[in-house]
Amino acid sequence: MSLERPRPQAWTVLVVFTAMNLLNYMDRYVVPAVQESIKHSSLALSDKQIGLLASAFLWVYMASAPVFGAQATKHSRTRVIGLGVAIWSIATALGGLAANYGQLLAARATVGIGEAAYGTIAPAVLADMFPERMRGRIFALFYMAIPVGAALGYEVGGLVDHMYSWRAAFFVAGAPGLLFALSALALKDPPRED
């Protein structure tokens, strides 16, 4: 059965999920924005160690995505998304508290767990919220957040690093996600389209 009109709260879900997607990519690009400061900090990371931060994120993201996809078939998708966004937001902020490379690596790897929950499930929820005739435009808006978020990761991360510290950049990137995690918990999971 195809939808004729968007489901109730569909536009709210689109706004919340698009903001999450923006934060998702902003968070990913904070590390490149502050990497020189991290290299010259008390952590004194090498280029190889900086590169492994991104690799650890991707490996964990790839391994976690199927797990969250399976969880979404058993539980409320919006709650799984909320949990994932909370995990990645807390992990991002914890990166700013890292006292050594192992802690920073663990924090960045954990970001992959949280983002896998969101990235795997959010497009399916949006597809169930909007009729097929609208999905192209809806996904164009949703995915527009990728380049905007990446650019903001560099801009905001670099600016906060310059004004305060690289650690503060992780806090600024992570904290807003907790508000969106709570927002996701308030959203109703729409019926699934077959």
Side-chain angles (χ1 to χ4, degrees), residues 52-102:
L52 285 174
L53 294 176
S55 298
F57 162 82
L58 290 172
W59 293 330
V60 172
Y61 184 99
M62 288 186 318
S64 301
V67 173
F68 282 108
Q71 289 302 308
T73 64
K74 300 173 189 170
H75 304 287
S76 165
R77 295 176 293 178
T78 54
R79 286 201 169 82
V80 173
I81 289 169
L83 174 65
V85 174
I87 289 170
W88 109 50
S89 298
I90 292 167
T92 298
L94 287 175
L97 298 174
N100 57 52
Y101 177 65

Side-chain angles (χ1 to χ4, degrees), residues 144-159:
M144 176 191 65
I146 294 173
V148 174
L152 283 173
Y154 277 106
E155 290 294 322
V156 173
L159 181 63

Side-chain angles (χ1 to χ4, degrees), residues 39-177:
K39 284 166 41 176
H40 297 99
S41 73
S42 61
L43 298 183
L45 302 187
S46 67
D47 288 335
K48 179 181 178 182
Q49 288 173 314
I50 293 285
L52 285 174
L53 294 176
S55 298
F57 162 82
L58 290 172
W59 293 330
V60 172
Y61 184 99
M62 288 186 318
S64 301
V67 173
F68 282 108
Q71 289 302 308
T73 64
K74 300 173 189 170
H75 304 287
S76 165
R77 295 176 293 178
T78 54
R79 286 201 169 82
V80 173
I81 289 169
L83 174 65
V85 174
I87 289 170
W88 109 50
S89 298
I90 292 167
T92 298
L94 287 175
L97 298 174
N100 57 52
Y101 177 65
Q103 291 175 1
L104 184 57
L105 184 66
R108 294 311 293 172
T110 303
V111 169
I113 293 171
E115 289 191 17
Y118 169 77
T120 306
I121 303 166
V125 173
L126 284 172
D128 288 342
M129 283 288 195
F130 289 92
E132 189 174 340
R133 65 182 169 76
M134 296 178 70
R135 289 180 190 155
R137 287 174 290 185
I138 296 309
F139 282 114
L141 289 170
F142 175 71
Y143 287 118
M144 176 191 65
I146 294 173
V148 174
L152 283 173
Y154 277 106
E155 290 294 322
V156 173
L159 181 63
V160 172
D161 178 26
H162 177 72
M163 292 177 65
Y164 301 102
S165 72
W166 67 267
R167 292 180 184 280
F170 283 102
F171 301 139
V172 169

